[in-house]
Amino acid sequence: MRNTAKLTTAVLAAGALTFGLSACGSGSSSSSHDYSGPLVVAASPTPHAEILDFVKKNLAKKAGLDLEVKEFTDYIAPNTATEDGSVDANYFQNQPYLDDFNKKRGTHIVPVVTVHLEPLGLYSHKVKKADALKSGATVAVPNDAVNEGRALKLLADNGLITLKSGAGDEATTQDIAKNPKHLQFKEVEAAQTPRSLDDVDAAVVNGNYAISAGLKPAKDAILLESTKNNPYANFLAVKKGNENDPRVKKLAKLLVSPEVRKFIEDKYQGSVLPVTQG
C-alpha cells in the first residue's frame, strides 16, 4: 500500500489561501525552520511520488531519513506550499517553469538536485503520424506560460509551425509566424491534456500526465521531445535558506543514487530518463 497523503482540492485551496496571507511577510530564508521532524515533500503522482515512494520504502531508513510524501495534482500548490512552509520541499518541476513562477508570484524556491527528464510528446487518437494531421486540425496545448511555450517549440522543431524570431520559453500562439496546416489551438490546463484527446485531433502532453493516463511516451507519442541539451529536467526544490537542511541533503543524495537510477530505467522504459550528474 502506498503510504502517501493525497490532498483534496479544498486542502489545496486552503494552502493557497495560507500562502496569500503569509507571502507578504515571507523572506528569502527560513532560519527558524525545524529540521527535527519528517521531511515532507510535495510531488506530482507520476513519476515523482512513485520515485519518492521507492526511496521511502527501500533507501530512506538506512540513510536515517524520515520521509513523508504528499501528492499534488496541479503545478501551483506544490510551490506555494513550499513557500509558506506547509511542506519542506517539492519535486515536480523544471527550471524554466520555476523561474517563471518565482518571477510572477514573488516566491523564493530554488533547485537542489536534478533527477530526471520527462520528454514532452504529441499524442493523437486519430492519426499515427504528425504529418497526417489535416488542414485545420485542432491541437490541445497546456495553458501555463512555460509548458505552452515548450509545446509550441516541439511543434516548431518538427516543422508543423514556425515561431517568430526571439520567441522564448514563454511563447504563445500569438508568437506563431507560419502555420501551413492552419492548425487550431485549444489551450487547456496541463493535467487535462490527456483527457482532451477524444475531443481534439492531437494534444501535447507533459510526460508525467501522459504516464498517469496510461500512455507510453517512448511508444505512443507521434512526436517526442529530444533529450539533447534539454533544459526541462525535473529537480528537488526547497525554499531558499533550506538547501542545507540535513534531511534535504540526505534525500538529494538518494535521488541520484544508482538504486534510483535503476528504478527509473526499469519502471519507465525510456518514458522517464534519469539525468546523469556531473
Side-chain angles (χ1 to χ4, degrees):
M1 180 180 294
R2 295 180 64 187
N3 187 18
T4 58
K6 294 189 176 183
L7 279 72
T8 64
T9 301
V11 173
L12 295 180
L17 177 58
T18 300
F19 167 72
L21 294 173
S22 63
C24 292
S26 64
S28 60
S29 66
S30 302
S31 58
S32 62
H33 197 107
D34 180 8
Y35 297 151
S36 63
L39 181 70
V40 183
V41 183
S44 298
T46 306
H48 309 79
E50 293 174 346
I51 294 170
L52 290 171
D53 282 343
F54 172 81
V55 170
K56 180 180 177 69
K57 295 173 183 177
N58 298 279
L59 305 173
K61 184 176 180 179
K62 185 176 180 181
L65 174 65
D66 186 1
L67 179 62
E68 180 180 341
V69 184
K70 289 190 175 182
E71 294 186 4
F72 289 75
T73 57
D74 76 315
Y75 285 166
I76 297 174
N79 275 337
T80 58
T82 303
E83 178 75 13
D84 70 22
S86 300
V87 300
D88 300 301
N90 66 59
Y91 174 34
F92 78 100
Q93 65 191 321
N94 57 56
Q95 193 68 57
Y97 180 83
L98 177 58
D99 290 344
D100 179 73
F101 193 98
N102 279 336
K103 179 180 178 181
K104 291 182 177 177
R105 294 178 180 264
T107 46
H108 310 86
I109 313 300
V110 295
V112 176
V113 65
T114 302
V115 184
H116 76 268
L117 174 71
E118 303 159 25
L120 194 75
L122 179 68
Y123 300 84
S124 177
H125 287 170
K126 299 179 180 178
V127 299
K128 294 184 177 181
K129 294 183 178 181
D131 58 11
L133 288 169
K134 296 180 179 179
S135 179
T138 301
V139 179
V141 295
N143 64 1
D144 62 276
V146 171
N147 282 304
E148 181 172 7
R150 184 180 176 188
L152 294 175
K153 185 178 185 301
L154 172 67
L155 301 180
D157 286 346
N158 287 275
L160 291 178
I161 60 173
T162 300
L163 293 173
K164 295 177 182 177
S165 177
D169 293 331
E170 298 180 32
T172 70
T173 55
Q174 301 301 312
D175 294 302
I176 296 175
K178 296 180 181 180
N179 185 2
K181 284 183 174 286
H182 307 288
L183 299 176
Q184 303 297 309
F185 293 95
K186 182 177 181 181
E187 297 169 317
V188 301
E189 185 182 349
Q192 302 303 317
T193 49
R195 300 178 188 176
S196 72
L197 281 168
D198 289 330
D199 302 318
V200 297
D201 296 293
V204 180
V205 184
N206 290 73
N208 60 318
Y209 291 135
I211 297 167
S212 295
L215 297 168
K216 296 180 180 180
K219 295 181 179 180
D220 297 334
I222 59 175
L223 292 178
L224 194 63
E225 199 174 38
S226 171
T227 59
K228 186 177 181 180
N229 299 320
N230 194 307
Y232 295 103
N234 286 197
F235 46 68
L236 179 70
V238 298
K239 185 177 181 180
K240 187 175 182 180
N242 292 332
E243 303 94 319
N244 292 320
D245 179 339
R247 303 167 303 167
V248 170
K249 287 188 171 182
K250 287 179 181 178
L251 179 58
K253 185 176 181 180
L254 293 176
L255 284 172
V256 294
S257 66
E259 294 88 345
V260 169
R261 183 180 185 88
K262 185 176 187 304
F263 171 77
I264 292 173
E265 291 173 341
D266 291 348
K267 182 174 180 63
Y268 301 110
Q269 298 293 307
S271 295
V272 177
L273 304 170
V275 173
T276 300
Q277 303 299 313

